[in-house]
């Protein structure tokens, strides 16, 4: 065997080993049934968390469902991102086009690990990197609420993005950097209300997804948490949530709570327009105690 042949074979072996390593590292890592906690179905609490998580904002009916109930998350509305346009799926319990045949485990793996029932990595336009911090019991009560809704027939539309298979495998590598599955923990030095607000903001409310800037690898830079940054849809900027009172944006936590509940109807500039419009609508549906808790937490950010 010539020297050149040996070099070629060696390069092929190295390339094969590299591809095998990438394949293994990008493989989805789902939870097992044993990881699911015991829980009580609580559709009422699930509705609160559904609103806190902003599920309807992305999973609202698409243009093909012009006569559909706009309060139901039947999906299909286009969601544009720098990597392509996605069509969030139907969350109603329709057995053929929705979640009707999904198991609890499939639902939790999608919401908290970014893995589809088919075993594919989901693109993080779906904010599972924040939902991963939630209590799994809370994810399951959201599922209980969704199961209580009337089913809507709304077939899923494939995402309009380049090389979807390669992108999804690439997301598997990205998860090693960006997917922190450590459950959120309360701060014993803070009040119960403050901790509730912190949980809502960092878990279901997924405020970090837009208000925390990202590094070169599109991983949230938690050293600048909530400091604002480029808009995730690729146009404009998202403002900082830090020192809102000190910067004169709001008088105090009660003032911010009123903004969350009423938006521009009460004269709060930019609270009900742009990307915050849907968020403010969702927050206005929360119980007063949760709105107050979220406000207490956010105005504490210095």
């Amino acid at each position: 065997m010539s020297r050149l042949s040996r070099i070629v074979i060696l390069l092929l072996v190295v390339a094969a080993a590299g591809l095998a390593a990438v394949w293994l590292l990008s493989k989805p890592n789902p939870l097992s049934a044993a990881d699911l906690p015991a829980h009580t179905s609580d559709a009422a609490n699930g509705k609160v968390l559904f609103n806190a998580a902003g599920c309807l904002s992305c999973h609202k009916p698409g243009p093909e469902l012009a006569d559909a109930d706009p309060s139901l998350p039947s999906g299909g509305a286009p969601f544009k991102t720098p990597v392509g346009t996605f069509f969030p799926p139907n969350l109603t319990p329709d057995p053929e086009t929705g979640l009707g045949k999904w198991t609890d485990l499939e639902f939790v793996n999608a919401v908290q690990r970014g893995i589809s029932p088919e075993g594919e990595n989901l693109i993080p336009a779906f904010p599972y990197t924040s939902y991963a911090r939630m209590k799994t019991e809370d994810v399951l009560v959201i599922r209980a609420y969704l199961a209580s809704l009337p089913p809507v027939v709304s077939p899923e539309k494939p995402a309009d993005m380049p090389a979807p298979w390669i992108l999804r495998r690439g997301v598997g590598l990205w998860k090693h950097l960006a997917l922190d599955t450590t459950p959120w923990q309360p701060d014993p030095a803070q009040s119960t209300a403050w901790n509730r607000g912190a949980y809502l903001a960092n878990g279901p409310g997924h405020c970090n997804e837009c208000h925390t800037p990202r590094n070169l690898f599109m991983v949230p830079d938690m050293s600048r948490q909530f400091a604002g940054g480029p808009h995730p849809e690729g146009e404009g900027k998202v403002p900082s949530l830090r020192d809102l009172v000190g910067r004169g944006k709001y008088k105090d936590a009660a003032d911010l709570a009123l903004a969350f509940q009423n938006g521009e109807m009460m004269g709060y500039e930019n609270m009900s327009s742009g990307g915050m419009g849907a968020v403010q609508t969702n927050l206005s549906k929360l119980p007063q105690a949760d709105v107050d808790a979220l406000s207490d937490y956010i105005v504490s950010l210095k």
Side-chain angles (χ1 to χ4, degrees):
M1 182 181 294
S2 68
R3 182 171 180 273
L4 178 61
S5 297
R6 289 196 297 271
I7 292 174
V8 170
I9 292 173
L10 178 61
L11 290 175
L12 290 173
V13 170
V14 170
L19 288 173
V22 168
W23 176 264
L24 290 174
L25 288 172
S26 63
K27 183 180 178 181
N29 184 27
L31 295 166
S32 69
D35 295 316
L36 296 187
H39 70 287
T40 301
S41 294
D42 184 353
N45 187 33
K47 183 176 182 179
V48 171
L49 291 165
F50 169 87
N51 288 322
C55 304
L56 183 61
S57 298
C58 287
H59 294 270
K60 59 190 175 186
E64 296 83 0
L65 298 176
D67 297 326
D69 185 340
S71 70
L72 295 176
S74 49
F79 179 62
K80 295 182 180 180
T81 77
V83 298
T85 300
F86 299 88
F87 302 91
N90 181 7
L91 298 185
T92 73
D94 180 68
E96 300 303 325
T97 67
L99 303 183
K101 292 182 179 179
W102 284 40
T103 66
D104 285 353
L105 182 60
E106 288 172 337
F107 186 78
V108 169
N109 271 318
V111 173
Q112 296 200 283
R113 294 297 183 270
I115 302 171
S116 74
E118 293 76 31
E120 295 181 321
N121 290 310
L122 297 174
I123 304 298
F126 177 37
Y128 53 81
T129 50
S130 289
Y131 297 157
R133 307 297 308 281
M134 292 176 63
K135 302 172 187 175
T136 301
E137 296 93 325
D138 283 350
V139 174
L140 289 168
V141 298
I142 291 176
R143 172 165 168 75
Y145 170 67
L146 294 173
S148 74
L149 299 176
V152 178
V153 176
S154 178
E156 185 173 359
K157 295 176 63 177
D160 180 13
M161 61 179 181
W165 185 85
I166 295 176
L167 277 177
R168 293 188 191 281
R169 296 303 299 201
V171 165
L173 296 175
W174 177 83
K175 285 180 178 179
H176 289 283
L177 300 174
L179 182 57
D180 180 2
T181 60
T182 306
W184 177 87
Q185 295 295 325
D187 183 345
Q190 297 289 349
S191 68
T192 299
W194 185 95
N195 276 302
R196 173 65 173 176
Y199 175 69
L200 291 174
N202 290 280
H206 60 279
C207 302
N208 282 302
E209 302 294 332
C210 291
H211 289 277
T212 297
R214 296 172 183 266
N215 62 22
L216 179 64
F217 300 102
M218 295 304 291
V219 177
D221 180 359
M222 300 307 284
S223 69
R224 296 185 290 157
Q225 187 181 23
F226 299 133
H231 198 287
E233 291 187 18
E235 296 182 7
K237 292 186 176 182
V238 178
S240 171
L241 294 182
R242 293 194 165 272
D243 200 23
L244 292 179
V245 174
R247 291 190 287 125
K249 298 295 184 181
Y250 300 95
K251 297 175 183 177
D252 51 26
D255 193 35
L256 179 58
L258 283 173
F260 284 153
Q261 291 173 313
N262 300 288
E264 291 174 11
M265 184 173 67
M266 291 286 287
Y268 292 97
E269 183 181 4
N270 298 328
M271 182 58 76
S272 338
S273 61
M276 272 301 294
V279 175
Q280 187 271 319
T281 297
N282 294 326
L283 295 179
S284 70
K285 299 174 183 177
L286 297 182
Q288 182 70 50
D290 281 348
V291 176
D292 291 343
L294 185 60
S295 301
D296 285 346
Y297 171 69
I298 290 178
V299 299
S300 76
L301 301 171
K302 303 301 182 184

